[in-house]
Amino acid sequence: INLLGGEPFHQREFDRMLDHFEKYPAPNLMITVTTNLKVPTRKFQNYINRFDSLRQRGHIKTLNLSCSIDGWGKQVEYQRWGLDLTEWETNFSYAVTKPWIVLGTNWTLSPLVIPTVPTLVQKIKQWNTQRPDNDKILYSFMHVADPAQLNPNIFGPGVFDNDMNITHRFTPRKNSMVWFDHQTIHACENQLSSPNRCVINFNFIVR
């Protein structure tokens, strides 16, 4: 089951869904929730604990949390209206401590937030020190294509080179998967410098 927005944790049907699986177990069920984590911390933790209870009793198989975040800093709060980074970090940090959750982030890159990406990548690396080796935090990203004024391509080549180079340094080439990550960031950099207006979408792991 894939649950998208409006924010799933604020939908009345969300509780009805959990009530359903309390009564009717689905031991092979994987639930994916795409969330901006704009949820009061106690409410969020109660939901996570309820998912864990369902999982431990064999009523579901696992929970996949895909958390929307576009970088790190005031620019990101401005771009994603209503975002409170303190609240987001508190909720995300709680999920990080639950190794049974498949945890990821998804970003929408604009000229405003690209300079903050290295800070976010650093934070993901720190969070990953709390995760099992076989269950690191995934992340995917795309850049804005329309409206044209939000497309990073309008600045031409070279503008974001420093930001991407810093991001490269936070993605060490230790094995084939990390090398793929490194190459993926490089491909993103090339695409941002391209005169062609298009949407790019990549998925990779920060080790």
Side-chain angles (χ1 to χ4, degrees), residues 12-62:
R12 287 175 294 181
E13 293 83 359
F14 199 77
D15 289 289
R16 290 171 53 191
M17 176 196 71
L18 295 179
D19 291 342
H20 174 86
F21 293 118
E22 290 282 0
K23 296 180 181 179
Y24 305 102
N28 295 318
L29 179 65
M30 300 176 66
I31 298 177
T32 296
V33 179
T34 299
T35 172
N36 58 25
L37 293 183
K38 183 62 181 171
V39 188
T41 297
R42 180 174 295 181
K43 180 178 182 179
F44 177 76
Q45 293 181 355
N46 287 341
Y47 274 127
I48 295 302
N49 294 340
R50 189 172 180 190
F51 273 114
D52 195 17
S53 176
L54 287 169
R55 180 191 63 88
Q56 292 189 46
R57 288 179 285 129
H59 287 226
I60 64 171
K61 183 176 182 179
T62 192

Side-chain angles (χ1 to χ4, degrees), residues 145-159:
D146 290 300
Q149 64 268 26
L150 297 182
N151 188 330
N153 296 23
I154 64 175
F155 290 95
V159 174

Side-chain angles (χ1 to χ4, degrees), residues 9 15 25 27 66 91 112 144 193:
F9 288 111
D15 289 289
S66 180
N91 290 338
L112 180 64
V144 179
S193 298

